[in-house]
Amino acid sequence: MIVIKYLWYYSFWTIVRIGLRLYYSKIKVTGLENIPKKTPIIFGSNHENAFIDALLITTSNTCFDHYLVRAGVFKNPMAKAFFNSLNLMPVYRAQDGVNPLEANKQIFRACFEALAKKYAVMLFPEGEHNIRRHRRVLKKGITRIALGAVNFEGGTKELSVVPVGVNYSDHTGFRSTVHIVFGKPIVVKQQEENAKNYNQLTAQITEAMSKVHVSLDRKEYLGLDAIFFHDQDAHQLVDYEKINAAAKKLEGRSAEVKAIEEQKTALESAGLSFPFRPMSTRHAFTLFALAPFALIGLLINLPVLLPVYLFIKLKVKEIEFVASLKFGFSLLGFGIWWWHLASWASEYTGQWYLGIIGVAFSFVTLISLNGFIRKWKRFRLTQLLASDEILQSKYNAFVDEIAQIRAELF
């Protein structure tokens, strides 16, 4: 039975890993050497992007991971069976209408047993997902599991908590980049389960996690986000260490940060949207050169693109779910659609390799469509600036002020 479970898990792991490498233009993984080989592991990660956070982390290492996810996704019996087959376990919160401490006892015990077998457990100790790149107060679930596991009868006597940071250049965009960082492990040994040890370990994990992802100050987030990300390129990897070090230098300069926030808010009210950087004439020519390939990409892939677009537009209320649903539907939808395209091309031409060429062409034109949409947005906003001298003046002042601040920080 365990052999079948391993085969299913790693088969799915391989499919998702390949899919993610196609969905993102670049996935950079650092710190794999920090994952212990001989002790059980708890991965504790920031949580900015719903399910795709877990998919990115688990396909970036080869551990047999078990996951804690919010109980709400287990309501459908088919979904529950599927999630259970992939080692997902529900974690309950007060809003689930139950006493979370009582409801989670059985789940915590399952974690203790998994760790006793030297499997890995992954969870998001912030207890929420939010695309904002700021520090959050951790829930104590991760410390309860860690200390409970090392005191569990017949369990492990030592484990490692590995902080994980997931840094997105664009939380919702296709062919953007992501940087996954595995930080230095925190070794947890047998100790009494009391408030003092809970608090100490929680503080340790909080500090360790803040070092592996962009963790801006929550109170000044909007201004800091404008300073560091108003012109973020979706294809450029986020340098979390550089940004965190620069943000620390801005402590005590609240008035400047607030002024930047107010300028950005005023620009957004006038019609601009961020991240944004004006388009040059050269890039405008690239836009129009992409147009025919983008049109072909739209027509070829419309049977998948249209239902995904409509579902997200009409049904999805939280932006944090956009990337997860785009990826999930695309992995299934394009897998089926491109299989049919390849079969038709091979059948009608009698040449199997033409089917593969057809799928590759469809993917390339899909990337062209995505590039066209991104550039079209820049072109439209650049034209808006060019047509409004007052708005152009305000935008220039905004950019110049940020440039002066950045010159001091970097």
Side-chain angles (χ1 to χ4, degrees):
M1 187 66 181
I2 190 64
V3 174
I4 294 174
K5 193 173 181 66
Y6 268 92
L7 286 173
W8 161 238
Y9 177 90
Y10 283 108
S11 295
F12 189 80
W13 181 95
T14 302
I15 292 169
V16 172
R17 180 180 169 86
I18 293 170
L20 287 169
R21 267 62 186 174
L22 294 174
Y23 185 85
Y24 288 98
S25 65
K26 184 171 185 179
I27 298 176
K28 180 179 180 181
V29 182
T30 56
L32 286 173
E33 69 279 2
N34 290 323
I35 300 177
K37 302 291 190 296
K38 297 181 179 180
T39 59
I41 303 162
I42 297 176
F43 291 113
S45 172
N46 64 316
H47 199 17
E48 298 178 2
N49 223 5
F51 299 115
I52 210 162
D53 288 337
L55 296 179
L56 283 164
I57 296 167
T58 196
T59 56
S60 296
N61 71 86
T62 56
C63 298
F64 190 62
D65 292 331
H66 291 63
Y67 318 84
L68 288 179
V69 298
R70 63 183 188 178
V73 302
F74 285 81
K75 291 180 179 179
N76 183 287
M78 289 184 64
K80 181 179 179 180
F82 176 71
F83 291 145
N84 285 338
S85 74
L86 292 170
N87 302 333
L88 273 70
M89 297 179 286
V91 60
Y92 295 91
R93 302 168 299 170
Q95 53 263 50
D96 293 316
V98 297
N99 181 332
L101 289 178
E102 289 299 319
N104 286 326
K105 280 183 179 179
Q106 185 177 352
I107 301 304
F108 282 11
R109 182 182 178 86
C111 291
F112 303 157
E113 292 172 350
L115 290 166
K117 296 174 183 175
K118 294 193 176 180
Y119 296 149
V121 171
M122 182 194 305
L123 66 155
F124 301 99
E126 295 168 344
E128 62 172 342
H129 57 211
N130 192 310
I131 64 169
R132 292 189 170 191
R133 304 174 175 99
H134 60 60
R135 291 189 294 274
R136 296 175 178 84
V137 178
L138 301 190
K139 307 297 183 184
K140 290 186 179 177
I142 189 168
T143 56
R144 292 185 186 280
I145 292 173
L147 294 184
V150 294
N151 287 292
F152 179 63
E153 186 177 351
T156 182
K157 304 306 177 188
E158 180 180 315
L159 59 81
S160 296
V161 177
V162 177
V164 187
V166 187
N167 299 278
Y168 296 93
S169 63
D170 179 346
H171 288 87
T172 62
F174 173 58
R175 300 300 291 171
S176 56
T177 65
V178 60
H179 186 186
I180 303 162
V181 184
F182 294 93
K184 294 187 180 300
I186 299 168
V187 177
V188 181
K189 298 184 178 181
Q190 270 194 325
Q191 56 193 281
E192 188 178 346
E193 295 179 71
N194 56 35
K196 178 183 176 182
N197 289 337
Y198 282 140
N199 291 336
Q200 286 181 345
L201 183 55
T202 301
Q204 269 187 287
I205 297 171
T206 301
E207 177 65 18
M209 283 180 56
S210 71
K211 293 179 179 179
V212 293
H213 68 93
V214 176
S215 51
L216 303 178
D217 183 85
R218 188 168 192 155
K219 294 179 180 178
E220 297 183 348
Y221 175 76
L222 293 176
L224 293 171
D225 180 67
I227 290 170
F228 297 115
F229 294 102
H230 78 280
D231 60 349
Q232 174 67 35
D233 185 340
H235 298 296
Q236 180 182 352
L237 285 164
V238 171
D239 190 336
Y240 68 97
E241 290 180 308
K242 184 178 179 181
I243 291 172
N244 285 343
K248 190 169 182 62
K249 294 178 184 177
L250 285 172
E251 291 178 359
R253 297 170 64 175
S254 298
E256 290 176 74
V257 175
K258 184 66 176 176
I260 293 294
E261 176 190 336
E262 291 172 351
Q263 288 180 63
K264 182 186 175 188
T265 301
L267 290 169
E268 288 175 329
S269 299
L272 289 184
S273 62
F274 295 91
F276 163 68
R277 58 178 71 181
M279 176 175 276
S280 66
T281 303
R282 179 173 62 85
H283 283 106
F285 281 118
T286 305
L287 170 70
F288 292 107
L290 276 175
F293 298 99
L295 179 59
I296 294 170
L298 177 63
L299 295 174
I300 292 177
N301 298 293
L302 191 61
V304 179
L305 292 174
L306 184 59
V308 172
Y309 170 79
L310 290 176
F311 181 84
I312 291 173
K313 185 76 173 176
L314 299 175
K315 298 292 185 180
V316 180
K317 306 300 181 184
E318 296 180 61
I319 192 172
E320 290 82 7
F321 282 105
V322 170
S324 299
L325 291 171
K326 282 168 68 174
F327 172 73
F329 286 140
S330 297
L331 185 65
L332 178 62
F334 282 117
I336 295 171
W337 178 239
W338 286 343
W339 174 265
H340 282 299
L341 285 180
S343 299
W344 293 336
S346 299
E347 182 180 345
Y348 287 122
T349 64
Q351 303 294 331
W352 64 267
Y353 63 87
L354 290 178
I356 297 175
I357 292 173
V359 170
F361 180 73
S362 299
F363 181 64
V364 170
T365 56
L366 182 63
I367 293 175
S368 298
L369 174 61
N370 180 67
F372 178 84
I373 292 171
R374 286 188 184 276
K375 287 180 170 57
W376 176 255
K377 176 186 174 184
R378 286 182 62 191
F379 176 76
R380 182 174 54 79
L381 294 177
T382 302
Q383 291 300 106
L384 175 64
L385 277 181
S387 65
D388 189 332
E389 290 185 6
I390 296 176
L391 182 60
Q392 178 78 67
S393 177
K394 289 180 179 179
Y395 175 77
N396 289 342
F398 169 74
V399 172
D400 289 344
E401 189 167 342
I402 289 178
Q404 290 178 11
I405 293 173
R406 284 181 172 181
E408 298 173 31
L409 300 176
F410 300 122

